[in-house]
Amino acid sequence: LCLNYFNNGAGDDPDGDSKHVLGAFGIPAGSAQLHVAFLGLPTIFVFSYGIFSDSVPLFKSSKKSYLLVLSFLQVVSCALLCFIEINPSFATLFSFYLLLNSFSMAWTDVLVDGLMVTQQRRDPVHGSQDLQVFSWVCLALGGVLPNALTIILA
């Protein structure tokens, strides 16, 4: 759960980063903005991800199996980004891999929030306070540590 919140904190401005990266492909700004707009599509359907994963169990589990499969999809889509040549003809493929990553992040976020609620209910006295603080600390560290590392390496 901590890694998901850390990952969300580290990806604080994916649209801005995507614009800069797509700009390196040499495509026009309007086309790059269209690619970035498609990256937001998975977040439109966030409400349905939890309903689907609870209604259709995968490998006899409603949340944990989906979490593993979607985490694997996220790793694979990010790994495939490394092998794309910076060429205008590959900008659509690059955006597709980013879309897969965005989709898996959005669905994973819903699943992790559901797991957090489940864990919080197990300790009715301090469960919600402790886990909520822990998740916000992980989110903050995810936002601060990668930026500090960037400053050190630059």
Side-chain angles (χ1 to χ4, degrees), residues 38-90:
F38 280 117
L39 297 180
L41 284 178
T43 58
I44 294 173
F45 304 106
V46 163
F47 66 92
S48 64
Y49 300 152
I51 295 170
F52 183 82
S53 60
D54 285 340
S55 301
V56 182
L58 184 67
F59 304 117
K60 299 180 184 178
S61 175
S62 60
K63 287 185 176 54
K64 293 178 183 174
S65 298
Y66 279 101
L67 189 62
L68 289 173
V69 169
L70 291 166
S71 297
F72 180 73
L73 176 66
Q74 188 173 1
V75 168
V76 168
S77 65
C78 285
L80 289 173
L81 286 172
C82 299
F83 299 108
I84 294 180
E85 181 182 338
I86 304 287
N87 187 331
S89 61
F90 292 114

Side-chain angles (χ1 to χ4, degrees), residues 22-144:
L22 286 168
F25 279 91
I27 59 176
S31 180
Q33 184 59 41
L34 183 64
H35 285 263
V36 171
F38 280 117
L39 297 180
L41 284 178
T43 58
I44 294 173
F45 304 106
V46 163
F47 66 92
S48 64
Y49 300 152
I51 295 170
F52 183 82
S53 60
D54 285 340
S55 301
V56 182
L58 184 67
F59 304 117
K60 299 180 184 178
S61 175
S62 60
K63 287 185 176 54
K64 293 178 183 174
S65 298
Y66 279 101
L67 189 62
L68 289 173
V69 169
L70 291 166
S71 297
F72 180 73
L73 176 66
Q74 188 173 1
V75 168
V76 168
S77 65
C78 285
L80 289 173
L81 286 172
C82 299
F83 299 108
I84 294 180
E85 181 182 338
I86 304 287
N87 187 331
S89 61
F90 292 114
T92 303
L93 182 63
F94 184 82
S95 294
F96 176 73
Y97 290 151
L98 283 178
L99 182 68
L100 283 178
N101 189 23
S102 178
F103 169 75
S104 61
M105 277 187 76
W107 199 330
T108 302
D109 193 35
V110 170
L111 294 172
V112 166
D113 288 343
L115 288 171
M116 288 286 286
V117 169
T118 304
Q119 293 298 324
Q120 288 172 349
R121 288 183 181 165
R122 290 185 179 176
D123 183 9
V125 177
H126 299 291
S128 68
Q129 296 166 356
D130 294 344
L131 278 175
Q132 201 64 31
V133 168
F134 181 67
S135 66
W136 282 104
V137 166
C138 293
L139 184 73
L141 287 174
V144 172

